[in-house]
Amino acid sequence: MRILYIEDDSQQASDVAAMVEREGLVLDHAGNGAHGLKALGGGDYDVVLLDRMLPDMSGIDIVSKMRAAGSEVPVLMVSALGRSENRVEGLDAGVDDYLAKPFAADELLARLRALHRRASGEGSSAIILFGDMECHVKARAAYRQGKHIALSPKEFELFRYFMQNGGEVVTRVMLLKDVWNLDFDPQTNVVDVNVGRLRRKLEQGFDSPVLETIWGSGYRLRAV
């Protein structure tokens, strides 16, 4: 994976570069928006990691210019502004994912890998692998540590969705829209009940939990 990181804080950029390069990834750094847009025009990047507040233009402006120019490179925006309205503004501008500062290295890496998988089409492959879990899409089968996990049809759809977004926070709204095909909140606990059932099946008999609740946000599938 080749990453472009647009960030004016040189120390932050250096720290992130060390994180991703330890994982065998390639990161190029641009210190402001203008340099970032220029690099995008001449480089073949898999993911853009974009700071929201830059000295010459905002990250929102940058992603808007990218999308207006036809660029479909996935963008992960990072910002100290982590309120829901800040996230919504970024997502409306064309950001693919939004991560509030400060962030943990493992979460950043998981989100970068998830964006890359989705962009490269790996999420729709016959088998999705994440951590010690396997999702056999065509066979509609779930495995953990090689052990088959019996799931109902809806539980399998949930499992596949979490596997396609491994390491990312998945909200109730996302699940209602993409798993239940609902564009509104029915004001029931249908999501919580089904996620609870899936969690029990994925974790019963295993030492490590894999499906965690992120209070106030949603759920996240962890690699162990």
Side-chain angles (χ1 to χ4, degrees):
M1 191 195 321
R2 190 175 177 205
I3 304 159
L4 175 64
Y5 187 20
I6 307 176
E7 166 66 72
D8 63 311
D9 185 331
S10 58
Q11 184 59 57
Q12 175 85 20
S14 178
D15 292 344
V16 170
M19 288 179 201
V20 302
E21 287 168 1
R22 279 196 297 269
E23 300 296 315
L25 311 180
V26 176
L27 183 142
D28 293 338
H29 172 233
N32 59 45
H35 290 165
L37 288 171
K38 183 177 180 181
L40 273 170
D44 184 18
Y45 293 100
D46 297 302
V47 181
V48 173
L49 182 59
L50 176 63
D51 186 60
R52 178 168 179 145
M53 294 181 286
L54 296 162
D56 57 339
M57 64 181 80
S58 74
I60 298 291
D61 291 335
I62 292 171
V63 77
S64 296
K65 290 177 185 291
M66 287 175 58
R67 299 308 184 222
S71 173
E72 297 181 356
V73 178
V75 175
L76 171 57
M77 178 171 280
V78 292
S79 175
L81 303 175
R83 297 171 63 116
S84 60
E85 57 264 33
N86 303 132
R87 296 171 184 268
V88 168
E89 185 182 9
L91 295 169
D92 283 346
V95 169
D96 298 276
D97 196 5
Y98 196 108
L99 181 61
K101 295 180 179 180
F103 48 79
D106 58 350
E107 182 175 8
L108 173 67
L109 291 165
R111 287 173 181 256
L112 289 169
R113 286 193 291 262
L115 282 179
H116 186 222
R117 283 197 304 272
R118 282 157 48 188
S120 62
E122 291 179 32
S124 59
S125 64
I127 300 178
I128 307 170
L129 306 176
F130 184 71
D132 62 358
M133 294 166 286
E134 301 175 31
C135 177
H136 294 238
V137 177
K138 293 181 180 179
R140 298 183 65 81
Y143 297 85
R144 183 172 181 196
Q145 296 179 10
K147 178 183 177 182
H148 178 254
I149 308 295
L151 300 178
S152 71
K154 186 57 69 178
E155 289 164 356
F156 179 80
E157 290 299 324
L158 267 176
F159 177 64
R160 178 171 65 175
Y161 192 79
F162 278 120
M163 290 287 283
Q164 289 172 332
N165 296 277
E168 294 187 81
V169 175
V170 173
T171 67
R172 285 184 81 255
V173 171
M174 292 167 65
L175 292 172
L176 286 169
K177 181 177 183 294
D178 297 329
V179 178
W180 275 269
N181 297 314
L182 295 176
D183 290 323
F184 63 95
D185 190 342
Q187 301 299 315
T188 70
N189 63 350
V190 62
V191 171
D192 310 274
V193 168
N194 280 274
V195 170
R197 289 172 179 162
L198 176 62
R199 177 188 284 120
R200 287 192 291 274
K201 290 185 177 183
L202 291 178
E203 297 179 356
Q204 187 173 3
F206 298 95
D207 295 330
S208 303
V210 288
L211 187 52
E212 62 180 344
T213 299
I214 309 299
W215 296 109
S217 299
Y219 307 93
R220 178 168 55 206
L221 192 66
R222 299 172 58 243
V224 294

